[in-house]
Amino acid sequence: MFMTLMASSIILAISVLVMMIASIISKKSILDREKNSPFECGFDPKSSSRIPFSLQFFLIAIIFLIFDVEIALILPIIVIFNLSNLMVWTLTSIIFIMILLIGLFHEWNQGALNWSY
């Protein structure tokens, strides 16, 4: 117990120290409007440098990321098939896949999968 507490406090101290050093080093000494603006040959920008961001694209990317992680969780289920009880394996697999299907159905009902312009 003491070793775990000591290791945790050392890790916490090192983390705080690294964050403080990074914060001190990363401070900009001169805050100039031209240096903080996007580079456009040294002249004032003629238009906004920010392009419109498609929220629909972001939602599709998040859904892809979620299902990509879920596939990574499904793959070990196949590997442990021979090592586990058939009833427990089947029940766990069905519950996990049902949760995925309910989530997909919910996203479909909310219109997150419809690409609109």
Side-chain angles (χ1 to χ4, degrees):
M1 179 69 180
F2 179 72
M3 293 297 289
T4 306
L5 185 62
M6 187 62 116
S8 304
S9 61
I10 290 173
I11 291 171
L12 180 67
I14 292 173
S15 301
V16 168
L17 182 68
V18 168
M19 286 190 293
M20 286 175 37
I21 290 173
S23 175
I24 292 170
I25 291 174
S26 70
K27 295 290 182 190
K28 293 183 180 180
S29 59
I30 300 173
L31 296 176
D32 186 21
R33 185 178 72 84
E34 290 299 321
K35 287 186 178 181
N36 289 335
S37 67
F39 182 72
E40 195 168 317
C41 300
F43 300 106
D44 286 332
K46 294 183 179 183
S47 64
S48 175
S49 63
R50 306 286 184 208
I51 58 174
F53 183 72
S54 172
L55 185 61
Q56 188 68 29
F57 177 77
F58 177 73
L59 289 174
I60 295 293
I62 293 296
I63 291 170
F64 171 77
L65 183 67
I66 290 170
F67 279 102
D68 193 38
V69 170
E70 290 168 354
I71 292 297
L73 293 174
I74 287 177
L75 288 177
I77 290 176
I78 299 167
V79 175
I80 64 167
F81 175 71
N82 292 333
L83 303 175
S84 65
N85 184 1
L86 182 62
M87 188 64 173
V88 173
W89 181 86
T90 305
L91 186 63
T92 306
S93 301
I94 288 174
I95 290 172
F96 186 73
I97 291 174
M98 287 303 294
I99 290 171
L100 295 182
L101 289 175
I102 290 170
L104 179 64
F105 184 68
H106 177 69
E107 290 168 355
W108 191 2
N109 280 339
Q110 294 296 317
L113 302 178
N114 296 335
W115 191 266
S116 59
Y117 294 102

